[in-house]
Amino acid sequence: PPPTGSRMPVKHIVLMKFKADTPAAALDGIKAKFTALKAGGKVPGILAISFGATFKTDRAQGFTHALVVDLESKEALEVYAAHPDHVEIVTNDLKPNFEGPPCAMDYEFDL
């Protein structure tokens, strides 16, 4: 394990199940809003962010989309999670369109 106080980057992965009738425009908007979180350092600590639909539905267990965010540290993950723009996306764009609960995981990785 890394020494205490180390600042290893963190990968935040969320698998989502969207309702079948979620409009493509809504999904495009979600992608744009997530991308905007990194643009210009709007949410500090984001190294990379991507959102997209799976193309391998046979093994996706009903999950339709994934979000992957690379962050500078565990602390940056906490800032991201609490940031008002992130909370707004979750509250207004994600939750109303979910078919079921998401699956989220976070882990530290070496660059």
Side-chain angles (χ1 to χ4, degrees):
T4 303
S6 72
R7 294 181 55 86
M8 291 180 67
V10 169
K11 195 164 294 274
H12 172 65
I13 302 171
V14 184
L15 304 179
M16 303 170 221
K17 296 179 183 182
F18 283 95
K19 296 174 186 170
D21 63 353
T22 302
L27 295 169
D28 290 344
I30 290 167
K31 181 176 184 174
K33 288 178 181 183
F34 274 123
T35 301
L37 295 179
K38 181 179 184 299
K42 190 172 193 178
V43 178
I46 296 176
L47 302 173
I49 191 165
S50 64
F51 172 85
T54 185
F55 57 86
K56 292 285 288 177
T57 57
D58 59 315
R59 59 186 189 162
Q61 298 183 28
F63 291 101
T64 59
H65 291 73
L67 171 72
V68 178
V69 186
D70 291 350
L71 297 124
E72 291 176 352
S73 64
K74 288 180 181 178
E75 293 79 12
L77 174 62
E78 297 302 320
V79 169
Y80 164 82
H83 193 281
D85 290 346
H86 171 260
V87 172
E88 181 181 328
I89 296 168
V90 171
T91 303
N92 298 334
D93 299 299
L94 297 183
K95 287 183 178 181
N97 290 302
F98 278 169
E99 181 70 32
C103 175
M105 296 185 70
D106 306 290
Y107 65 91
E108 292 180 300
F109 66 96
D110 290 321
L111 286 177

